[in-house]
Coordinates of all heavy atoms in Angstrom, one line a residue:
M1 N 2.8 75.6 93.0 CA 1.9 75.3 91.9 C 2.5 74.1 91.0 O 3.7 74.1 90.9 CB 1.9 76.5 90.9 CG 1.0 77.7 91.6 SD 0.4 78.8 90.4 CE 1.6 78.8 89.1
A2 N 1.7 73.2 90.7 CA 2.2 72.1 90.0 C 2.1 72.4 88.5 O 1.2 71.9 87.8 CB 1.4 70.9 90.4
V3 N 3.0 73.2 88.0 CA 2.9 73.6 86.6 C 3.2 72.4 85.6 O 2.9 72.5 84.5 CB 3.9 74.8 86.4 CG1 3.3 76.0 87.0 CG2 5.3 74.4 86.8
M4 N 3.9 71.4 86.1 CA 4.3 70.3 85.3 C 3.2 69.3 85.1 O 3.3 68.3 84.3 CB 5.6 69.6 85.8 CG 6.8 70.5 85.7 SD 7.1 71.2 84.1 CE 7.8 69.8 83.2
D5 N 2.1 69.3 85.9 CA 1.0 68.4 85.7 C 0.3 68.8 84.5 O 0.5 69.7 83.8 CB 0.1 68.5 87.0 CG 0.8 67.8 88.2 OD1 1.9 67.2 87.9 OD2 0.3 67.9 89.3
G6 N -0.8 67.9 84.2 CA -1.6 68.2 83.0 C -1.0 67.7 81.8 O -0.6 66.6 81.7
C7 N -1.2 68.5 80.8 CA -0.7 68.0 79.4 C 0.7 67.6 79.3 O 1.0 66.6 78.8 CB -0.9 69.2 78.4 SG -2.7 69.6 78.1
E8 N 1.6 68.3 80.0 CA 3.0 68.0 80.0 C 3.2 66.6 80.5 O 4.0 65.8 79.9 CB 3.8 69.0 80.8 CG 4.0 70.4 80.1 CD 5.0 70.3 79.0 OE1 5.9 69.5 79.1 OE2 4.7 71.0 78.0
A9 N 2.5 66.3 81.6 CA 2.8 64.9 82.2 C 2.4 63.7 81.2 O 3.0 62.6 81.4 CB 1.9 64.8 83.5
Q10 N 1.4 63.9 80.4 CA 1.0 62.8 79.4 C 2.2 62.4 78.6 O 2.3 61.2 78.3 CB -0.1 63.3 78.5 CG -1.4 63.5 79.3 CD -2.6 63.9 78.5 OE1 -2.4 63.9 77.2 NE2 -3.6 64.4 79.0
Y11 N 3.0 63.4 78.2 CA 4.1 63.0 77.3 C 5.2 62.3 77.9 O 6.0 61.7 77.4 CB 4.6 64.3 76.7 CG 3.6 64.9 75.7 CD1 3.1 66.2 76.0 CD2 3.2 64.3 74.5 CE1 2.1 66.8 75.2 CE2 2.3 64.9 73.7 CZ 1.8 66.1 74.0 OH 0.9 66.7 73.2
R12 N 5.1 62.2 79.3 CA 6.2 61.6 80.0 C 5.8 60.2 80.5 O 6.6 59.4 81.0 CB 6.6 62.4 81.3 CG 6.9 63.8 80.9 CD 8.4 64.2 81.3 NE 8.7 65.4 80.8 CZ 9.7 65.7 79.9 NH1 10.5 64.7 79.5 NH2 10.1 66.9 79.5
T13 N 4.5 59.9 80.2 CA 4.1 58.6 80.7 C 4.1 57.6 79.6 O 3.6 57.8 78.5 CB 2.6 58.7 81.2 OG1 2.4 59.8 82.1 CG2 2.1 57.5 81.8
P14 N 4.8 56.4 79.9 CA 4.8 55.4 78.9 C 3.5 54.8 78.6 O 2.7 54.7 79.5 CB 5.7 54.3 79.6 CG 6.4 55.0 80.7 CD 5.5 56.1 81.1
V15 N 3.2 54.6 77.3 CA 1.9 54.1 76.9 C 2.1 52.8 76.2 O 3.0 52.6 75.4 CB 1.2 55.1 76.1 CG1 0.6 56.3 76.8 CG2 2.0 55.4 74.8
P16 N 1.3 51.7 76.5 CA 1.4 50.5 75.8 C 1.0 50.7 74.4 O 0.0 51.3 74.0 CB 0.5 49.5 76.5 CG -0.5 50.5 77.2 CD 0.2 51.7 77.5
E17 N 1.7 50.1 73.4 CA 1.4 50.2 72.0 C 1.6 48.8 71.3 O 2.6 48.2 71.6 CB 2.3 51.3 71.4 CG 1.9 51.7 70.0 CD 2.8 52.8 69.5 OE1 2.9 53.8 70.1 OE2 3.5 52.5 68.4
E18 N 0.8 48.5 70.4 CA 1.0 47.3 69.6 C 1.9 47.6 68.4 O 1.7 48.4 67.6 CB -0.4 46.8 69.1 CG -1.4 46.6 70.2 CD -1.6 45.2 70.6 OE1 -2.1 44.4 69.7 OE2 -1.4 44.8 71.7
R19 N 2.9 46.7 68.4 CA 3.9 46.8 67.3 C 3.9 45.4 66.6 O 3.8 44.3 67.3 CB 5.3 47.0 67.8 CG 5.5 48.4 68.2 CD 5.5 49.4 67.2 NE 5.6 50.8 67.6 CZ 6.8 51.4 67.7 NH1 7.9 50.8 67.5 NH2 6.8 52.7 68.1
V20 N 3.9 45.4 65.4 CA 4.0 44.1 64.6 C 5.4 43.5 64.5 O 6.3 44.3 64.1 CB 3.4 44.2 63.1 CG1 3.5 42.9 62.4 CG2 1.9 44.7 63.3
C21 N 5.6 42.4 65.0 CA 6.9 41.8 64.9 C 7.3 41.5 63.5 O 6.6 40.8 62.7 CB 6.9 40.5 65.7 SG 8.5 39.6 65.6
P22 N 8.5 42.0 63.0 CA 8.9 41.9 61.6 C 9.3 40.5 61.4 O 9.6 40.0 60.2 CB 10.1 42.8 61.5 CG 10.6 43.0 62.9 CD 9.3 42.8 63.8
Q23 N 9.6 39.7 62.4 CA 10.0 38.3 62.2 C 8.9 37.3 62.1 O 8.9 36.5 61.2 CB 10.9 37.9 63.4 CG 11.7 36.7 63.2 CD 12.9 36.6 64.2 OE1 13.8 37.3 64.1 NE2 12.7 35.8 65.2
C24 N 7.8 37.4 62.9 CA 6.8 36.4 62.9 C 5.4 37.1 62.5 O 4.4 36.3 62.4 CB 6.7 35.6 64.2 SG 6.1 36.7 65.6
G25 N 5.3 38.4 62.5 CA 4.1 39.0 62.2 C 3.1 39.1 63.3 O 1.9 39.7 63.1
K26 N 3.4 38.7 64.5 CA 2.6 38.8 65.6 C 2.6 40.2 66.2 O 3.7 40.9 66.1 CB 3.1 37.7 66.6 CG 2.1 37.2 67.6 CD 2.6 36.2 68.4 CE 2.1 36.2 69.9 NZ 2.7 35.3 70.7
E27 N 1.5 40.6 66.8 CA 1.5 41.9 67.5 C 2.0 41.7 68.9 O 1.6 40.9 69.6 CB 0.1 42.4 67.5 CG -0.4 43.0 66.2 CD -1.7 43.7 66.3 OE1 -2.4 43.6 67.2 OE2 -2.0 44.4 65.3
V28 N 2.9 42.6 69.3 CA 3.5 42.6 70.5 C 3.3 43.9 71.2 O 3.4 44.9 70.6 CB 5.1 42.4 70.4 CG1 5.8 42.3 71.8 CG2 5.3 41.1 69.6
E29 N 2.9 43.8 72.5 CA 2.7 45.1 73.2 C 4.1 45.6 73.8 O 4.7 45.0 74.6 CB 1.7 44.8 74.3 CG 1.2 46.1 74.9 CD 0.1 45.9 76.0 OE1 0.4 45.4 77.1 OE2 -1.0 46.1 75.8
V30 N 4.4 46.8 73.3 CA 5.6 47.4 73.8 C 5.2 48.7 74.5 O 4.2 49.3 74.3 CB 6.6 47.7 72.7 CG1 7.0 46.4 72.1 CG2 6.1 48.7 71.7
F31 N 6.1 49.2 75.4 CA 5.8 50.5 76.1 C 6.6 51.6 75.3 O 7.8 51.4 75.0 CB 6.2 50.5 77.5 CG 5.2 49.8 78.4 CD1 5.2 48.5 78.7 CD2 4.1 50.5 78.9 CE1 4.2 47.9 79.4 CE2 3.1 50.0 79.6 CZ 3.2 48.7 79.9
T32 N 5.8 52.6 75.0 CA 6.4 53.7 74.2 C 6.2 55.0 74.9 O 5.3 55.1 75.7 CB 5.8 53.8 72.8 OG1 4.5 54.1 72.9 CG2 5.9 52.5 72.0
N33 N 7.0 55.9 74.5 CA 6.8 57.3 75.0 C 7.0 58.2 73.8 O 8.1 58.3 73.2 CB 7.9 57.5 76.1 CG 7.6 59.0 76.7 OD1 6.9 59.8 76.2 ND2 8.2 59.1 78.0
R34 N 5.9 58.8 73.4 CA 5.9 59.7 72.2 C 6.3 58.9 71.0 O 7.1 59.3 70.2 CB 6.8 60.9 72.4 CG 6.3 61.7 73.5 CD 7.2 62.8 73.9 NE 7.1 63.9 73.0 CZ 7.7 65.1 73.1 NH1 8.5 65.2 74.2 NH2 7.6 66.0 72.3
G35 N 5.9 57.6 70.9 CA 6.1 56.8 69.7 C 7.5 56.1 69.7 O 7.8 55.4 68.8
R36 N 8.3 56.3 70.8 CA 9.6 55.6 70.9 C 9.5 54.4 71.8 O 8.9 54.6 72.9 CB 10.6 56.5 71.4 CG 11.5 57.2 70.3 CD 12.7 57.8 71.0 NE 12.4 58.3 72.3 CZ 11.9 59.5 72.6 NH1 11.6 60.3 71.7 NH2 11.7 59.8 73.9
V37 N 10.0 53.3 71.5 CA 10.1 52.2 72.4 C 11.0 52.5 73.5 O 12.2 52.9 73.3 CB 10.6 50.9 71.7 CG1 10.5 49.7 72.6 CG2 9.6 50.6 70.5
I38 N 10.6 52.4 74.8 CA 11.4 52.8 75.9 C 12.1 51.7 76.6 O 13.0 52.0 77.4 CB 10.6 53.6 77.0 CG1 9.4 52.8 77.5 CG2 10.1 55.0 76.3 CD1 8.9 53.3 78.7
E39 N 11.7 50.5 76.3 CA 12.4 49.4 77.0 C 12.5 48.2 76.0 O 11.5 48.0 75.2 CB 11.8 49.0 78.3 CG 10.5 48.5 78.2 CD 9.9 48.2 79.6 OE1 10.6 48.5 80.6 OE2 8.9 47.5 79.7
D40 N 13.5 47.4 76.1 CA 13.6 46.2 75.3 C 12.4 45.3 75.5 O 12.1 45.0 76.7 CB 15.0 45.5 75.5 CG 16.2 46.2 75.1 OD1 15.9 47.3 74.6 OD2 17.3 45.7 75.1
T41 N 11.8 44.9 74.5 CA 10.6 44.0 74.7 C 10.8 42.8 73.8 O 10.9 43.0 72.5 CB 9.3 44.7 74.4 OG1 9.3 45.9 75.1 CG2 8.1 43.8 74.7
A42 N 10.9 41.7 74.3 CA 11.0 40.5 73.5 C 9.7 39.8 73.0 O 8.8 39.7 73.8 CB 11.8 39.4 74.3
C43 N 9.6 39.5 71.7 CA 8.5 38.7 71.2 C 8.6 37.3 71.6 O 9.7 36.9 71.9 CB 8.5 38.9 69.7 SG 7.1 38.0 68.9
S44 N 7.5 36.6 71.6 CA 7.6 35.2 72.0 C 8.4 34.4 71.0 O 8.9 33.3 71.2 CB 6.2 34.6 72.0 OG 5.5 34.8 70.8
C45 N 8.7 34.9 69.7 CA 9.5 34.2 68.8 C 11.0 34.4 69.0 O 11.8 33.8 68.4 CB 9.1 34.6 67.4 SG 9.7 36.3 66.9
G46 N 11.2 35.3 69.8 CA 12.7 35.7 70.1 C 13.2 37.0 69.7 O 14.2 37.5 70.1
Y47 N 12.4 37.6 68.7 CA 12.8 38.9 68.3 C 12.6 39.9 69.4 O 11.7 39.8 70.2 CB 11.8 39.3 67.1 CG 12.2 40.7 66.5 CD1 13.2 40.8 65.6 CD2 11.4 41.8 67.0 CE1 13.4 42.1 65.1 CE2 11.7 43.0 66.5 CZ 12.7 43.3 65.5 OH 13.0 44.4 65.1
V48 N 13.5 40.8 69.5 CA 13.6 41.8 70.5 C 13.3 43.3 69.9 O 14.1 43.7 69.0 CB 14.8 41.8 71.3 CG1 14.8 42.9 72.4 CG2 15.0 40.4 72.0
F49 N 12.3 43.9 70.3 CA 12.1 45.3 70.0 C 13.1 46.1 70.9 O 12.9 46.1 72.1 CB 10.7 45.7 70.2 CG 9.7 45.1 69.3 CD1 9.1 43.9 69.6 CD2 9.3 45.7 68.2 CE1 8.2 43.3 68.8 CE2 8.4 45.2 67.3 CZ 7.9 44.0 67.6
K50 N 14.0 46.7 70.2 CA 15.1 47.4 71.0 C 14.5 48.7 71.5 O 13.8 49.4 70.7 CB 16.3 47.6 70.2 CG 17.0 46.3 69.8 CD 17.5 45.6 71.1 CE 19.0 45.7 71.3 NZ 19.4 45.0 72.5
A51 N 14.9 49.1 72.7 CA 14.6 50.4 73.2 C 15.2 51.5 72.3 O 16.4 51.4 71.9 CB 15.1 50.5 74.6
E52 N 14.4 52.5 71.9 CA 15.0 53.6 71.1 C 15.3 54.7 72.1 O 14.3 55.4 72.6 CB 13.9 53.9 70.1 CG 13.7 52.7 69.1 CD 12.4 52.9 68.4 OE1 11.6 53.9 68.7 OE2 12.1 52.2 67.4
E53 N 16.5 55.1 72.2 CA 16.9 56.2 73.0 C 16.7 57.5 72.3 O 17.0 57.7 71.2 CB 18.3 56.0 73.4 CG 18.6 54.9 74.4 CD 18.1 55.1 75.7 OE1 18.1 56.2 76.2 OE2 17.7 54.1 76.3
D54 N 16.2 58.4 73.1 CA 16.0 59.8 72.6 C 17.4 60.4 72.7 O 18.1 60.3 73.7 CB 15.0 60.6 73.4 CG 14.6 61.9 72.8 OD1 15.1 62.1 71.6 OD2 14.1 62.7 73.4
V55 N 17.9 61.0 71.7 CA 19.2 61.6 71.7 C 19.1 62.9 72.4 O 18.5 63.8 72.0 CB 19.8 61.8 70.3 CG1 21.2 62.4 70.3 CG2 19.7 60.5 69.5
P56 N 19.8 62.9 73.6 CA 19.7 64.1 74.4 C 20.5 65.2 73.8 O 21.5 65.1 73.1 CB 20.4 63.7 75.8 CG 21.2 62.6 75.5 CD 20.6 61.9 74.1
L57 N 19.9 66.4 73.9 CA 20.5 67.6 73.4 C 21.8 68.1 74.3 O 21.6 69.1 75.0 CB 19.6 68.7 73.2 CG 18.5 68.5 72.1 CD1 17.5 69.6 72.1 CD2 19.2 68.4 70.7
K58 N 22.8 67.3 74.3 CA 23.9 67.7 75.1 C 25.1 67.4 74.4 O 25.3 66.4 73.6 CB 23.9 67.0 76.5 CG 24.1 65.6 76.4 CD 24.2 65.0 77.8 CE 24.5 63.5 77.7 NZ 24.5 62.8 79.1
V59 N 26.1 68.1 74.6 CA 27.4 67.9 74.0 C 28.3 66.9 74.8 O 28.5 67.2 76.0 CB 28.2 69.2 73.7 CG1 29.5 69.0 73.1 CG2 27.3 70.1 72.9
E60 N 28.7 65.9 74.2 CA 29.5 65.0 75.0 C 31.0 65.4 74.8 O 31.5 65.5 73.7 CB 29.3 63.6 74.4 CG 28.1 62.9 75.1 CD 28.1 61.4 74.9 OE1 29.2 60.8 75.0 OE2 27.0 60.8 74.6
R61 N 31.6 65.5 75.9 CA 33.0 65.9 75.8 C 33.9 64.8 76.5 O 33.5 64.2 77.5 CB 33.3 67.2 76.6 CG 32.5 68.3 76.0 CD 32.8 69.6 76.9 NE 32.0 70.6 76.4 CZ 32.5 71.9 76.5 NH1 33.6 72.2 77.0 NH2 31.6 72.9 76.0
P62 N 35.0 64.4 75.9 CA 35.8 63.4 76.6 C 36.4 63.8 77.8 O 36.9 64.9 77.9 CB 36.9 63.2 75.5 CG 36.9 64.4 74.6 CD 35.5 64.9 74.6
E63 N 36.1 63.0 78.8 CA 36.6 63.4 80.2 C 38.0 63.0 80.3 O 38.4 62.0 79.8 CB 35.8 62.8 81.3 CG 34.3 63.1 81.1 CD 34.0 64.4 81.9 OE1 34.8 64.9 82.6 OE2 33.0 65.0 81.6
E64 N 38.8 63.7 81.1 CA 40.2 63.3 81.3 C 40.3 62.9 82.7 O 39.7 63.3 83.6 CB 41.1 64.3 80.9 CG 41.3 64.6 79.4 CD 42.4 65.6 79.0 OE1 43.4 65.6 79.8 OE2 42.2 66.3 78.1
Ligands
ZN101 ZN1 7.8 37.6 66.7

């Protein structure tokens, strides 16, 4: 059974979204996932919309 299909899958699919560049005011299409920019996207003016990482719920331990 493909239990992960349907509604759940939508949230995993990047969607194009228009963001206004704070530098030049132009609208730039960036790919987002649940409102987060998932990859660096450069505006034509040079401003870069940085990818916003979702903070994973895991404890980081220093490896030895
Ligand atoms: Zn710009």
Side-chain angles (χ1 to χ4, degrees):
M1 291 200 327
V3 291
M4 294 306 284
D5 286 353
C7 294
E8 286 285 326
Q10 289 181 11
Y11 294 113
R12 306 245 173 234
T13 307
V15 291
E17 191 180 301
E18 302 254 298
R19 290 287 178 91
V20 176
C21 174
Q23 194 162 285
C24 70
K26 206 173 143 185
E27 284 190 344
V28 181
E29 191 175 77
V30 299
F31 278 93
T32 65
N33 190 336
R34 299 172 76 174
R36 262 194 332 272
V37 181
I38 57 163
E39 64 178 14
D40 289 6
T41 308
C43 178
S44 54
C45 74
Y47 178 85
V48 176
F49 291 87
K50 294 300 251 176
E52 296 161 351
E53 291 291 325
D54 190 11
V55 180
L57 291 174
K58 70 177 183 185
V59 180
E60 275 192 44
R61 297 180 187 211
E63 302 276 345
E64 283 187 36

